[in-house]
Amino acid sequence: MARILIVEARFYDHLNDMLLAGARAAIEAAGHEHETVAVPGALEAPGAIALAVETGRYDAFVALGVVIRGETYHFEIVSNESARGIMALTMDGIAIGNGILTVENEAQAIYRADPKQADKGGGAAKAALAMLGLRERFA
């Protein structure tokens, strides 16, 4: 049984609740344990994962959050840098599912976050478990 840490950028509560529900359901359906920690935003998610890796307590990670385009360049910075940080960690062999949504508007976010629709939280959890399986296979 694997131990999965869900790191959620808790910014839009109603959207995060849906992402979290999907991720938890996927992890539990696969028979694994999970724990959740919240960080202020998507930029902090890779750092939290890096800190958690150092503890050795977790086998895989799921990053969740929502970044909605606004009127400034901030959207690009947050979207690109959070993805870059997560990708850098995966290149070090850490099993991570990236469920940080980067969308144009709330309607897109709702569709993607809702477990009854696109279920991107569940998809991110499944990706983390798939990468964990590959890491174990190649070990």
Side-chain angles (χ1 to χ4, degrees):
M1 177 180 332
R3 187 149 175 80
I4 314 302
L5 179 65
I6 301 169
V7 176
E8 65 161 335
R10 191 82 190 170
F11 196 80
Y12 298 101
D13 290 342
H14 63 297
L15 300 171
N16 275 69
D17 287 345
M18 289 188 282
L19 286 169
L20 197 52
R24 287 176 172 165
I27 293 166
E28 291 167 6
H32 301 295
E33 296 179 352
H34 59 81
E35 186 177 332
T36 303
V37 295
V39 295
L43 285 174
E44 291 78 27
I49 292 170
L51 291 171
V53 166
E54 292 178 8
T55 71
R57 293 190 314 216
Y58 305 100
D59 302 301
F61 302 86
V62 179
L64 300 177
V66 179
V67 184
I68 300 175
R69 185 179 299 280
E71 297 176 1
T72 68
Y73 186 68
H74 185 69
F75 172 84
E76 282 81 6
I77 292 170
V78 174
S79 299
N80 294 336
E81 291 303 310
S82 64
R84 185 194 58 76
I86 291 169
M87 184 56 68
L89 293 168
T90 65
M91 297 304 290
D92 287 337
I94 300 166
I96 304 173
N98 186 353
I100 297 177
L101 305 181
T102 54
V103 297
E104 296 292 326
N105 54 54
E106 186 174 359
Q108 289 178 352
I110 290 169
Y111 173 76
R112 286 163 175 75
D114 188 346
K116 294 180 179 107
Q117 295 185 61
D119 191 21
K120 295 297 184 180
K126 290 173 185 175
L129 295 172
M131 293 306 291
L132 176 60
L134 271 179
R135 188 178 70 208
E136 291 171 350
R137 176 181 171 192
F138 294 142

